[in-house]
């Protein structure tokens, strides 16, 4: 027996929430599905945590490189674990405040990995969800390139800022090699360089 919705959304990131809210405004029912953490990349491991730590790194950098001739450079001590903990607290607080009040009523969420059963039905954690429409909003994740030897060494990806998952990154490395030179590499590279 499947639960019926006007809109079934795969994922619970920014795209999913925007669609679910619009559906609710139109008087429709919507359900999101999520295999990781509710809120997706931006809130949990992307925009929010990165901007929080990037700002801390900026303060460290500007103390060492003051813009005014009358200010002497100062080297700040860095407790990276404490910085990560406050970042995690901010993410958890945001999640509670923002998503707690949105869910319920016309918008609900089912946790688990989703798969299609037929063109209008998906299965999540043993439950069947029927959607008049189905929206795929599963976002993206870092590609692990087929590089020889990579499977034999520990490595991190741009998912490193995740809060509440095992992949969370807690210690500042002494040095770092970044494979890739896109905006993610630049913005995270600058942050680590400044720390
Ligand atoms: C470090 C970093 C910094 C960033 N900074 C910015 C920024 O400053 N500004 C900006 O605009 N963007 C930024 N981004 C990009 C931004 O986070 C993404 O573009 C945005 O989150 C994508 O939203 P989405 O809803 O499409 O997907 P996501 O937020 O990724 O959500 C998709 C969700 O679907 C879930 N999912 C996938 N497959 C399944 C499945 N089979 N079953 C159930 N659930 C599934 C995933 O677990 C995920 O939670 C940043 C990203 C990173 C990594």
């Amino acid at each position: 027996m499947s639960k019926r919705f006007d809109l079934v959304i795969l994922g619970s990131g920014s795209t999913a929430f925007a669609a679910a809210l619009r559906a609710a405004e139109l008087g429709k029912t919507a359900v999101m599905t999520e295999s990781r953490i509710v809120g997706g990349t931006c809130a949990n491991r992307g925009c929010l945590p990165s901007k929080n730590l990037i700002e801390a790194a900026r303060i460290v950098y500007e103390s060492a490189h003051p813009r005014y001739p009358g200010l002497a450079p100062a080297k700040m001590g860095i407790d990276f674990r404490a910085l990560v903990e406050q970042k995690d607290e901010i993410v958890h607080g945001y999640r509670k405040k923002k998503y707690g009040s949105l869910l319920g009523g016309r918008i609900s969420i089912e946790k688990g990995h989703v798969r299609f059963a037929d063109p209008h039905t998906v299965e999540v954690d043993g439950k069947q969800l029927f959607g008049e429409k189905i929206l795929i909003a599963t976002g993206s994740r870092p590609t692990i390139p087929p590089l020889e030897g990579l499977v034999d060494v520990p490595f991190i990806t741009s998912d490193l800022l995740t809060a509440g998952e095992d992949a969370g990154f807690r210690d500042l490395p002494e040095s770092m090699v970044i494979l890739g030179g896109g905006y993610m590499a630049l913005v995270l590279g600058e942050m680590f360089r400044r720390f």
Side-chain angles (χ1 to χ4, degrees):
M1 180 62 184
S2 57
K3 283 203 219 168
R4 296 181 76 85
F5 296 89
D6 296 311
L7 183 62
V8 168
I9 307 169
L10 313 192
S12 74
S14 332
T15 311
F17 266 95
L21 287 170
R22 184 69 183 130
E25 276 170 21
L26 296 171
K28 307 288 183 187
T29 54
V31 62
M32 294 181 278
T33 62
E34 180 56 66
S35 57
R36 290 180 70 182
I37 303 181
V38 175
T41 306
C42 193
N44 295 302
R45 49 194 174 271
C47 326
L48 175 59
S50 67
K51 296 323 162 272
N52 175 270
L53 289 180
I54 284 167
E55 175 61 7
R58 185 189 66 76
I59 292 170
V60 171
Y61 177 81
E62 298 214 334
S63 305
H65 303 87
R67 281 175 289 160
Y68 294 88
L71 297 178
K75 187 169 163 42
M76 295 182 111
I78 300 171
D79 181 343
F80 193 67
R81 282 197 169 219
L83 279 172
V84 169
E85 274 164 27
Q86 66 77 38
K87 177 269 290 175
D88 288 352
E89 264 173 41
I90 284 177
V91 170
H92 289 136
Y94 178 86
R95 229 156 40 203
K96 204 165 150 195
K97 197 164 121 199
K98 175 110 180 171
Y99 303 137
S101 59
L102 289 177
L103 298 172
R106 290 186 169 275
I107 305 177
S108 55
I109 188 140
E110 293 291 348
K111 294 294 304 280
H113 190 80
V114 78
R115 59 180 290 274
F116 273 87
D118 68 43
H120 283 279
T121 311
V122 297
E123 285 176 5
V124 189
D125 197 22
K127 290 180 200 144
Q128 292 213 326
L129 310 173
F130 174 93
E132 196 55 47
K133 297 279 182 198
I134 295 188
L135 174 68
I136 299 175
T138 46
S140 58
R141 56 172 57 207
T143 305
I144 309 300
L147 294 178
E148 206 177 316
L150 184 61
V151 291
D152 302 322
V153 297
F155 64 89
I156 49 176
T157 68
S158 56
D159 257 5
L160 80 171
L161 300 177
T162 188
E165 291 179 303
D166 285 347
F169 187 69
R170 312 214 89 70
D171 294 309
L172 189 62
E174 277 185 33
S175 66
M176 182 180 273
V177 172
I178 302 179
L179 308 191
Y183 69 90
M184 203 60 71
L186 289 171
V187 81
L188 294 177
E190 180 188 61
M191 180 186 88
F192 282 111
R193 178 78 187 96
R194 288 180 162 184
F195 279 136

